[in-house]
Amino acid sequence: MTDGKVKARLKWACRRGMLELDVLFIPFVNEAYDDLSEQDKLTFERLLTCQDPELFAWFMGHEACEDTELNAMVQFILGRVKV
């Protein structure tokens, strides 16, 4: 799959049912995804397969993600937002 098609698919997957998640994911794909390592890109894509209530809880700090790779990606995305 070409890079353009991958980004288009990711942008579509970033459109969630919750505005709080949309405002995190869409800018992240636009501004940071291309600079990720291949492993981190796969981790981000895996993160997008999680359910919205789980994602919301992780990003809002209500729960910690038990998967260390996913948790690291959550923290990386949050760190970009807080800068």
Side-chain angles (χ1 to χ4, degrees):
M1 193 178 298
T2 65
D3 288 342
K5 287 184 180 181
V6 169
K7 288 270 295 247
R9 182 180 53 81
L10 287 173
K11 287 179 183 181
W12 181 256
C14 287
R15 297 177 62 200
R16 311 302 289 204
M18 296 181 178
L19 179 62
E20 296 88 349
L21 297 175
D22 290 351
V23 299
L24 290 170
F25 289 149
I26 294 171
F28 182 79
V29 168
N30 289 332
E31 300 164 9
Y33 179 80
D34 292 336
D35 296 330
L36 295 176
S37 69
E38 289 304 313
Q39 181 60 44
D40 285 343
K41 287 179 180 180
L42 293 173
T43 300
F44 179 70
E45 290 181 37
R46 193 162 59 91
L47 182 69
L48 293 178
T49 67
C50 297
Q51 299 295 315
D52 285 357
E54 286 179 314
L55 293 169
F56 183 81
W58 298 338
F59 280 97
M60 297 304 128
H62 300 285
E63 294 177 16
C65 177
E66 294 181 14
D67 182 302
T68 56
E69 286 182 341
L70 293 181
N71 189 50
M73 183 57 63
V74 167
Q75 298 311 312
F76 180 71
I77 294 169
L78 287 173
R80 292 190 84 259
V81 173
K82 293 179 181 178
V83 173

